[in-house]
Amino acid sequence: MSTDNQRPLILVSNDDGYKAKGINCLIDVLAEFGDVVVMAPHTGRSGKGCAITSEQPIMYSCVSSTQGVKIYSCTGTPADCVKLAFHALLTRKPDLVVGGINHGDNSAVNAHYSGTMGVVFEGCMKGIPSVAFSLCDHDPDADFTPTLPIIRRIVGEVLKRGLPKGCCLNVNFPEKAPYKGVSVCHQANGVWTGEFEAHDHPRGGKWYWLTGEFVTQDKDSAADRVALANGYVAITPTRIDLTDYDLLREMKNWDL
Amino acid sequence: MSTDNQRPLILVSNDDGYKAKGINCLIDVLAEFGDVVVMAPHTGRSGKGCAITSEQPIMYSCVSSTQGVKIYSCTGTPADCVKLAFHALLTRKPDLVVGGINHGDNSAVNAHYSGTMGVVFEGCMKGIPSVAFSLCDHDPDADFTPTLPIIRRIVGEVLKRGLPKGCCLNVNFPEKAPYKGVSVCHQANGVWTGEFEAHDHPRGGKWYWLTGEFVTQDKDSAADRVALANGYVAITPTRIDLTDYDLLREMKNWDL
């Protein structure tokens, strides 16, 4: 961790690749707070969740290096990027791991599929305060300007307070600004419908493209996806302990 | 769901591919309970977590079809397999989704990386009771015989009782039998060390293979990885709601 004469060290990654507009807006904000090291996928890695690459080797290379901001490109997944940065780049423990700003929503149960959250889960597993930022707009040229003052506030608070061990933050911004406010939320329930589009394959059979519509099954205004729909920035405190303690107690009565 | 005159319908997948010994042992057991539909990756997909394939199309094909057991091979990830089975194969809602038997440990925080758990998270998100089975032995010819009576008991109980909405089970078997018993556990804490092996690339630079050693940071005998080390089968009740409710309450005091 930083000592008194060192600026905070911030590790950044994403799942849209190091060239994406979102991560570059994020880097500019984070450079106000400390030294920034970016290890991000060389191309898009959307939907990779916490996936790691175990069946082939990965590589990285330096893209640019200026005073306070070093950017590296990696052939692996978002989680690989964090692992490899810790292994090969960082000379001290970072004060913060940040994922994003993602081009697209990572609220509700979709946190499980999110490579942006893969970055943050990995940072959290390594004991570092970790925060994911996502804007509900897939446009490669989305306008991230309205998100930046709020990112500044959240980063400032997390650098000051830290986060409890095993906890990280999943922050999602509504597509449209101005925002009505910031809401601390729980993960919304929901399901995907119409998940594939099928087409005939030229050599027989069909091929399937993932698509679909997410249907929120939650009406609680404190559910992240509901808060977003109502115009609020949703912060979902997230934990890496997946245990269901209620079911754990109940299962003591099972015949096992 | 099954009506009185229908056998239970069980959807099976894994992350080692449809040819793996583990899934074929599992299919034989599950066929005792109901009609089995298998949609599994055509090759190994270890460490894919909940990853989904959004940037290319996927396909599937029938491998074998006998009375009560139909096996399909899919080019996608474990989570894709479950999604595509629901979309293209299943004519009614299954009674159970099962992942495994994985060749290797999926306990502790490694549940986040597990494609076997990716199967089960996906089943759970679709509202189906879902159970993952993993044997702490990576050998392609591992002996699954000692796991089978316990799998029978767990499958029987889950078919009878169901599981609460949003909950699934992560079951891990110790490498060596006989087992000392079955323990209902919480997810163990731990960290990976020495995560990469670096080699010189023939065209310059280095390439990195993921490797490493997992160090359990838990001494509680009810932590899944500790129970496994002590010779117990570990059942970790797992939830898809990632919200940290303690931090949610605490963050009401933050300056956001």
Side-chain angles (χ1 to χ4, degrees):
Chain A
M1 295 290 177
S2 303
T3 57
D4 287 346
N5 57 357
Q6 281 179 314
R7 300 185 77 206
L9 178 61
I10 304 174
L11 175 64
V12 185
S13 191
N14 74 346
D15 71 359
D16 294 314
Y18 75 93
K19 291 181 188 164
K21 183 174 177 183
I23 196 170
N24 285 288
C25 293
L26 182 61
I27 292 166
D28 290 344
V29 170
L30 296 174
E32 301 166 13
F33 290 91
D35 290 336
V36 176
V37 175
V38 180
M39 175 80 102
H42 69 149
T43 57
R45 295 279 187 276
S46 285
K48 293 296 179 213
C50 292
I52 50 177
T53 304
S54 58
E55 285 156 7
Q56 59 186 62
I58 61 172
M59 297 190 75
Y60 74 96
S61 59
C62 186
V63 172
S64 75
S65 175
T66 59
Q67 180 67 27
V69 178
K70 298 188 193 316
I71 302 180
Y72 300 84
S73 157
C74 172
T75 60
T77 65
D80 290 337
C81 287
V82 176
K83 285 180 181 290
L84 191 53
F86 270 79
H87 183 86
L89 291 181
L90 301 177
T91 52
R92 59 186 166 106
K93 233 178 154 175
D95 300 274
L96 189 65
V97 173
V98 188
I101 309 169
N102 191 60
H103 295 242
D105 182 357
N106 280 317
S107 69
V109 294
N110 300 310
H112 286 277
Y113 304 122
S114 162
T116 313
M117 284 302 295
V119 168
V120 161
F121 277 123
E122 191 61 39
C124 189
M125 285 191 233
K126 295 195 179 312
I128 310 299
S130 300
V131 185
F133 295 107
S134 304
L135 172 64
C136 297
D137 185 346
H138 282 95
D139 188 339
D141 194 36
D143 180 13
F144 291 94
T145 319
T147 71
L148 305 182
I150 295 161
I151 290 176
R152 259 183 213 105
R153 283 221 298 280
I154 294 171
V155 166
E157 285 285 304
V158 173
L159 281 173
K160 187 174 79 187
R161 296 171 179 266
L163 287 172
K165 187 173 157 55
C167 301
C168 51
L169 300 183
N170 180 14
V171 182
N172 288 272
F173 295 92
E175 184 176 357
K176 300 284 181 219
Y179 309 132
K180 291 216 182 117
V182 175
S183 180
V184 184
C185 293
H186 64 83
Q187 176 186 300
N189 287 314
V191 287
W192 284 94
T193 59
E195 290 195 294
F196 292 94
E197 207 175 83
H199 295 272
D200 291 331
H201 193 288
R203 290 193 297 282
K206 287 191 184 296
W207 48 265
Y208 294 84
W209 269 107
L210 194 63
T211 175
E213 190 184 349
F214 188 75
V215 181
T216 309
Q217 292 176 317
D218 225 311
K219 292 188 173 164
D220 183 358
S221 62
D224 52 11
R225 210 157 197 274
V226 179
L228 288 163
N230 291 338
Y232 289 83
V233 178
I235 307 186
T236 310
T238 298
R239 60 181 207 172
I240 53 172
D241 181 1
L242 298 163
T243 311
D244 191 301
Y245 289 93
D246 291 337
L247 181 55
L248 193 158
R249 280 183 289 273
E250 189 190 315
M251 285 186 69
K252 301 289 185 191
N253 304 319
W254 284 35
D255 179 24
L256 300 167
Chain B
M1 296 290 179
S2 303
T3 56
D4 288 345
N5 56 358
Q6 281 179 314
R7 299 185 77 205
L9 177 62
I10 304 174
L11 175 65
V12 185
S13 191
N14 74 346
D15 70 0
D16 295 314
Y18 75 91
K19 291 180 186 163
K21 185 174 176 182
I23 196 171
N24 285 286
C25 293
L26 183 61
I27 292 165
D28 290 345
V29 170
L30 295 174
E32 300 167 13
F33 290 90
D35 290 336
V36 176
V37 174
V38 180
M39 175 80 103
H42 68 149
T43 57
R45 294 279 188 275
S46 285
K48 294 296 178 212
C50 291
I52 50 177
T53 305
S54 57
E55 285 156 6
Q56 59 186 62
I58 60 172
M59 297 189 74
Y60 75 94
S61 59
C62 186
V63 171
S64 74
S65 176
T66 59
Q67 180 67 28
V69 178
K70 298 189 193 316
I71 302 180
Y72 300 84
S73 157
C74 172
T75 59
T77 65
D80 290 335
C81 287
V82 175
K83 283 180 181 292
L84 191 53
F86 270 79
H87 183 86
L89 291 181
L90 300 177
T91 52
R92 57 186 167 107
K93 233 178 156 175
D95 299 274
L96 189 66
V97 173
V98 188
I101 309 169
N102 190 60
H103 294 243
D105 182 357
N106 280 318
S107 69
V109 293
N110 300 310
H112 286 275
Y113 305 122
S114 162
T116 313
M117 284 302 294
V119 168
V120 161
F121 278 123
E122 191 60 40
C124 189
M125 285 191 234
K126 294 194 180 311
I128 310 298
S130 299
V131 185
F133 295 106
S134 304
L135 173 63
C136 297
D137 185 346
H138 281 95
D139 188 339
D141 194 35
D143 180 12
F144 291 94
T145 319
T147 71
L148 305 182
I150 295 161
I151 290 176
R152 260 184 211 105
R153 282 220 299 280
I154 294 170
V155 166
E157 286 285 304
V158 173
L159 281 173
K160 189 174 77 187
R161 295 171 181 266
L163 287 172
K165 187 173 157 54
C167 300
C168 51
L169 300 182
N170 180 12
V171 182
N172 287 273
F173 295 92
E175 185 176 357
K176 300 284 180 216
Y179 309 133
K180 290 215 182 118
V182 175
S183 181
V184 184
C185 292
H186 63 83
Q187 177 185 300
N189 288 315
V191 287
W192 283 94
T193 59
E195 291 195 294
F196 291 95
E197 208 175 84
H199 295 272
D200 292 331
H201 193 289
R203 291 193 296 282
K206 287 190 184 297
W207 47 265
Y208 294 84
W209 269 108
L210 194 63
T211 173
E213 190 184 348
F214 187 76
V215 181
T216 310
Q217 291 176 318
D218 226 312
K219 291 189 172 164
D220 183 358
S221 62
D224 51 12
R225 211 157 197 273
V226 178
L228 287 163
N230 290 338
Y232 288 84
V233 178
I235 307 186
T236 310
T238 298
R239 60 181 207 173
I240 53 173
D241 181 1
L242 298 163
T243 311
D244 191 300
Y245 289 93
D246 292 337
L247 180 56
L248 193 158
R249 280 183 289 272
E250 190 191 315
M251 284 186 68
K252 301 287 184 191
N253 305 320
W254 283 36
D255 180 25
L256 299 167

